[in-house]
Amino acid sequence: MINTIAYITGGTGHLGRNLIMELLEKEDVFVVAMVLKNDNHRDFGKLNERILFIDGDISNPKSIDEFLSAKSDIKARRVLYHVAGKISIMKKNDPSVFKVNVDGTKNMLDGAIRHHIDKFIYVSSVDAINKPSKPNKVVEEERFSPEKIEGVYGQSKAIASNLVLDYASKGLDVTIVQPTAIMGPNDAFGGPINTAIRKYLNHQLKVVVKGGYDIVDVRDVAKGMILASTKGKNGKCYILSGTGVTILELLDVAHQVSGVKKTKATIPHFIVKMVSPLLELHARLHHKKPLFTGFSMDCLNENSNYSCERAKKDLGYQPRPLKETMQDTIDWMYKEGLAKKS
């Protein structure tokens, strides 16, 4: 018997895929996933029997209506997980980021109202938070200040998060989750942290930059989202963090798991900032995402002392040890042929 219909945007991305796999561990859940028409990452093995894919675009209200009306004949709790978004590590304005992250979220919120969704889970980001100076704890904000945020991605997420909070007073039950830097298996597109680990395993990462960040297992974020769907308070935000590490410490854990030679050489922050325009130009010319930009260097040196105490208290959220995440990620990379054992 189906008790929950989970509507998911961005279901074939790194987080969306792990969310679907986590949801379908329960037999009473059916998933409806909105995907772009040319998306060819729809293979979930045997789980495909319990997934309905709807071709659509979050910028098109008609697509959203088709998406959210699917399986409406089934009497079940209906939860919408809005995962889709456009990530940017650039500082300058990019209208496409706002179109997806702000306008697309507004369209999805309006659709949720029209189709009487029971719970709306929005995946924001800790980049939307106006952070205190080090070493103070970074905690959830009740309202966001996009004008104080640097970087187009963080600004767009701050604006969209405020939109979501506005709908809490319009009769929609909304909860926001804010993951830190995601890492883990089942990543078809190659996120920044996984890309760095893959390059390390393939002996392509000879030097690293100084700085660090908070790393969280993608599966823990997925579990946190599911917990938020039943325990998350209306109009509240929850930071889903993991372990704060420097880049060298992260690669040391990778060394412990894989045995690959340690990367010890580091590049000062200011040197990367100097050459970042050339790196960004090279990436654009070759239609690739740059591993680092001047702005992302700043992010590696900002306050990343995130607190997930609210999520632990309200949701029962419990992030796993970083070494376990690293082991599972590297095992997955070997299995998928993304890296070869030395």
Side-chain angles (χ1 to χ4, degrees), residues 177-240:
V177 296
Q178 296 179 276
T180 55
I182 289 175
M183 173 185 170
N186 309 308
D187 180 12
F189 295 93
I193 305 300
N194 280 0
T195 297
I197 298 301
R198 175 178 57 78
K199 286 180 177 291
Y200 165 76
L201 295 174
N202 291 324
H203 308 282
Q204 297 170 339
L205 202 63
K206 303 299 182 182
V207 295
V208 297
V209 295
K210 292 183 177 180
Y213 209 69
D214 186 281
I215 310 297
V216 65
D217 193 299
V218 65
R219 297 164 297 181
D220 291 335
V221 176
K223 288 181 178 179
M225 293 168 66
I226 296 170
L227 288 168
S229 75
T230 56
K231 298 181 179 180
K233 295 179 181 178
N234 187 21
K236 287 294 182 182
C237 304
Y238 295 93
I239 291 174
L240 302 181

Side-chain angles (χ1 to χ4, degrees), residues 134-155:
K134 295 179 180 180
N136 295 297
K137 283 280 188 181
V138 182
V139 298
E140 293 85 355
E141 294 182 309
E142 303 308 310
R143 195 75 187 174
F144 297 87
S145 303
E147 72 281 357
K148 297 180 181 179
I149 304 298
E150 289 193 348
V152 61
Y153 177 69
Q155 290 170 359

Side-chain angles (χ1 to χ4, degrees), residues 62-330:
K62 289 185 178 180
S63 287
I64 293 172
D65 286 336
E66 182 182 357
F67 169 52
L68 295 179
S69 62
K71 298 295 179 180
S72 59
D73 57 318
I74 298 175
K75 290 185 177 180
R77 186 168 185 261
R78 303 168 75 214
V79 180
L80 171 53
Y81 296 92
H82 184 32
V83 185
K86 186 169 183 179
I87 297 174
S88 174
I89 57 174
M90 302 297 184
K91 185 175 182 178
K92 294 182 179 179
N93 185 33
D94 182 346
S96 65
V97 173
F98 286 92
K99 182 178 180 182
V100 173
N101 295 349
V102 179
D103 297 345
T105 298
K106 174 68 163 57
N107 291 337
M108 200 59 62
L109 287 163
D110 288 336
I113 291 284
R114 288 195 303 273
H115 293 272
H116 308 290
I117 291 296
D118 295 303
K119 184 73 176 183
F120 187 104
I121 303 295
Y122 176 59
V123 181
S124 181
S125 169
V126 291
D127 290 338
I129 298 173
N130 181 31
K131 300 171 185 63
S133 59
K134 295 179 180 180
N136 295 297
K137 283 280 188 181
V138 182
V139 298
E140 293 85 355
E141 294 182 309
E142 303 308 310
R143 195 75 187 174
F144 297 87
S145 303
E147 72 281 357
K148 297 180 181 179
I149 304 298
E150 289 193 348
V152 61
Y153 177 69
Q155 290 170 359
S156 70
K157 283 294 185 178
I159 295 170
S161 297
N162 280 340
L163 274 174
V164 173
L165 295 177
D166 289 341
Y167 276 70
S169 61
K170 295 183 180 182
L172 184 62
D173 189 348
V174 302
T175 296
I176 295 175
V177 296
Q178 296 179 276
T180 55
I182 289 175
M183 173 185 170
N186 309 308
D187 180 12
F189 295 93
I193 305 300
N194 280 0
T195 297
I197 298 301
R198 175 178 57 78
K199 286 180 177 291
Y200 165 76
L201 295 174
N202 291 324
H203 308 282
Q204 297 170 339
L205 202 63
K206 303 299 182 182
V207 295
V208 297
V209 295
K210 292 183 177 180
Y213 209 69
D214 186 281
I215 310 297
V216 65
D217 193 299
V218 65
R219 297 164 297 181
D220 291 335
V221 176
K223 288 181 178 179
M225 293 168 66
I226 296 170
L227 288 168
S229 75
T230 56
K231 298 181 179 180
K233 295 179 181 178
N234 187 21
K236 287 294 182 182
C237 304
Y238 295 93
I239 291 174
L240 302 181
S241 57
T243 304
V245 289
T246 66
I247 301 300
L248 277 178
E249 288 170 342
L250 179 68
L251 293 182
D252 185 59
V253 177
H255 162 74
Q256 294 172 33
V257 169
S258 67
V260 173
K261 185 179 179 180
K262 286 186 178 182
T263 299
K264 296 181 179 180
T266 59
I267 305 176
H269 181 203
F270 76 92
I271 292 180
V272 180
K273 290 272 284 186
M274 286 172 59
V275 302
S276 62
L278 293 176
L279 296 175
E280 293 170 28
L281 176 61
H282 179 272
R284 283 197 298 270
L285 291 174
H286 292 81
H287 305 288
K288 294 181 179 180
K289 294 179 181 179
L291 190 58
F292 296 111
T293 65
F295 175 64
S296 66
M297 289 304 93
D298 292 336
C299 294
L300 290 175
N301 286 275
E302 69 180 13
N303 187 1
S304 57
N305 187 19
Y306 295 102
S307 171
C308 59
E309 289 306 311
R310 177 186 284 182
K312 286 180 177 180
K313 180 182 177 182
D314 288 2
L315 310 181
Y317 171 73
Q318 288 293 334
R320 72 194 72 196
L322 177 60
K323 191 169 185 179
E324 180 182 334
T325 301
M326 185 67 74
Q327 181 73 65
D328 292 348
T329 303
I330 289 177

